[in-house]
């Protein structure tokens, strides 16, 4: 079987292939830090075998949580979680530009033999996106407190905060720049799309963002300027979190990342 020609595969065999490929990707990611190829292949499996099925996306978000907590410096692993969340958000698009915040149903790619099982599967696929993103914020809070001085965690928090306000503020879908389910370009390189403000510290540069051409960087700034002002309550909570970190930390890098994150938050209102 090749990436370009999957053909028609029975449902049970498809599910088996997904499990096997995920195991291989997990093993490879554990052997080599920030294994770009392993995580990119995992994304390909989700897109072309799992067809971005909602239940599988949720299972992946859950199953990779422990791995991420044990590899707090692995940018690729956290970028994968960002891909999962963006994929879940993209399934709420109804008119190409507006996000729905109501519970979602998965468009199941495998027809189960019993109607009862199909209904149960659909019910399990209902998700609360705001709650899901809030859980991810709490996850990063715990990791930042437990493992001070890791830039990866602060970058991930910035992505999640932006996704929260993309959802709450009903930002244009183009701001996320998530490729469609059948797009061949859905790799980790597509995740560097969260705008960085004009005063963002280098300490908070998302991987690859600092390597953009001047034209690309200018486009990111223009997108940021078009972005509606984030919810003030959410901003206040983030500033309180930063104050708490700075008041207790003795780690120089932790303080640097916290201050850089604060500067980025300030740019959202400019």
């Amino acid at each position: 079987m090749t990436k370009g020609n999957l053909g028609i595969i029975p449902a049970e065999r498809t599910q088996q292939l997904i499990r096997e490929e995920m195991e291989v990707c997990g093993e490879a990611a554990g052997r080599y830090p920030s294994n770009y190829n392993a995580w990119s292949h995992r994304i390909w499996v989700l897109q072309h075998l799992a067809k971005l099925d909602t239940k599988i996306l949720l299972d992946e978000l859950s199953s990779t949580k422990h791995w991420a907590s044990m590899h707090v410096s692995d940018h690729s692993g956290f970028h994968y979680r960002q891909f999962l969340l963006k994929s879940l958000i993209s399934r709420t698009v109804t008119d190409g530009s507006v996000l729905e915040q109501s519970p979602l149903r998965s468009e199941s790619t495998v027809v189960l033999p019993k109607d009862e099982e199909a209904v149960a599967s659909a019910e399990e696929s209902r998700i609360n996106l705001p709650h899901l993103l809030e859980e991810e914020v709490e996850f990063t809070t715990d990791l930042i407190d437990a493992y001070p001085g890791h830039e990866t965690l602060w970058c991930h928090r910035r992505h999640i905060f932006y996704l929260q306000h993309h959802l709450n503020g009903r930002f244009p879908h183009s701001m996320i720049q998530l490729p469609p389910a059948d797009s061949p370009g859905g790799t980790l390189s597509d995740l560097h799309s969260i705008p960085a403000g004009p005063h963002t510290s280098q300490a908070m540069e998302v991987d690859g963002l600092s390597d953009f051409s001047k034209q690309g960087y200018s486009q990111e700034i223009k997108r940021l300027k078009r972005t509606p002002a984030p919810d003030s309550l959410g901003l206040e909570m983030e500033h309180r979190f930063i104050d708490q970190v700075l008041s207790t930390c003795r780690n120089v890098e932790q303080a640097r990342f916290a201050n850089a994150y604060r500067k980025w938050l300030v740019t959202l209102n400019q």
Side-chain angles (χ1 to χ4, degrees):
M1 179 182 68
T2 63
K3 287 187 177 182
N5 183 23
L6 290 178
I8 300 176
I9 307 174
E12 292 184 2
R13 177 54 179 160
T14 299
Q15 294 175 351
Q16 181 183 352
L17 281 173
I18 293 172
R19 288 193 298 268
E20 291 175 352
E21 291 300 305
M22 293 305 182
E23 290 176 2
V24 171
C25 291
E27 184 177 346
R31 289 186 178 183
Y32 306 100
S34 292
N35 193 328
Y36 174 91
N37 292 325
W39 291 105
S40 291
H41 180 65
R42 195 163 185 150
I43 287 175
W44 183 91
V45 172
L46 286 179
Q47 291 176 319
H48 297 278
L49 289 181
K51 303 299 183 182
L52 294 180
D53 178 76
T54 299
K55 185 178 184 304
I56 294 178
L57 291 173
L58 291 172
D59 288 344
E60 281 292 284
L61 195 64
S62 176
S63 65
T64 58
K65 189 172 185 177
H66 177 71
W67 192 98
S69 69
M70 301 298 292
H71 299 79
V72 293
S73 292
D74 195 306
H75 285 276
S76 295
F78 280 93
H79 285 171
Y80 179 72
R81 292 184 66 79
Q82 292 157 22
F83 172 84
L84 296 174
L85 291 166
K86 290 177 183 180
S87 297
L88 288 167
I89 289 176
S90 74
R91 298 181 71 85
T92 69
V93 177
T94 58
D95 62 1
S97 63
V98 179
L99 294 176
E100 295 287 347
Q101 296 189 45
S102 59
L104 310 177
R105 286 182 182 270
S106 167
E107 296 177 4
S108 179
T109 57
V110 179
V111 178
L112 299 176
K114 297 180 180 179
D115 292 340
E116 294 81 2
E117 292 179 353
V119 173
S121 177
E123 290 300 320
E124 289 177 0
S125 296
R126 286 182 173 272
I127 57 175
N128 184 325
L129 280 175
H131 178 69
L132 203 62
L133 291 171
E134 183 59 35
E135 285 185 337
E136 195 69 12
V137 170
E138 293 176 0
F139 179 49
T140 61
T141 296
D142 293 340
L143 293 180
I144 287 172
D145 289 341
Y147 304 100
H150 288 271
E151 183 179 11
T152 301
L153 301 177
W154 289 95
C155 289
H156 185 60
R157 189 180 186 94
R158 183 170 75 171
H159 276 270
I160 302 309
F161 177 82
Y162 187 81
L163 289 177
Q164 277 186 311
H165 291 280
H166 177 101
L167 189 67
N168 296 336
R170 308 178 81 84
F171 293 176
H173 180 62
S174 60
M175 297 288 292
I176 278 196
Q177 297 183 352
L178 181 69
D182 57 352
S183 169
T187 64
L188 292 178
S189 61
D190 298 308
L191 297 180
H192 310 309
S193 57
I194 301 300
H199 306 297
T200 302
S201 167
Q202 290 183 355
M204 279 299 297
E205 291 287 2
V206 179
D207 290 352
L209 191 58
S210 58
D211 297 329
F212 279 170
S213 64
K214 292 183 179 179
Q215 180 180 0
Y217 183 71
S218 297
Q219 291 174 349
E220 291 298 322
I221 294 177
K222 290 179 181 178
R223 291 192 186 98
L224 174 64
K225 290 181 178 178
R226 293 197 301 267
T227 301
D231 177 71
S232 58
L233 179 60
L235 275 175
E236 181 180 351
M237 293 177 63
E238 288 302 284
H239 281 292
R240 286 181 181 177
F241 168 71
I242 294 170
D243 289 338
Q244 180 182 0
V245 169
L246 292 175
S247 67
T248 58
C249 81
R250 294 182 174 83
N251 185 292
V252 176
E253 291 297 293
Q254 179 87 320
R256 186 164 69 95
F257 298 144
N259 281 316
Y261 181 51
R262 188 200 298 276
K263 290 180 181 178
W264 179 77
L265 291 173
V266 170
T267 65
L268 296 182
N269 284 327
Q270 295 180 352

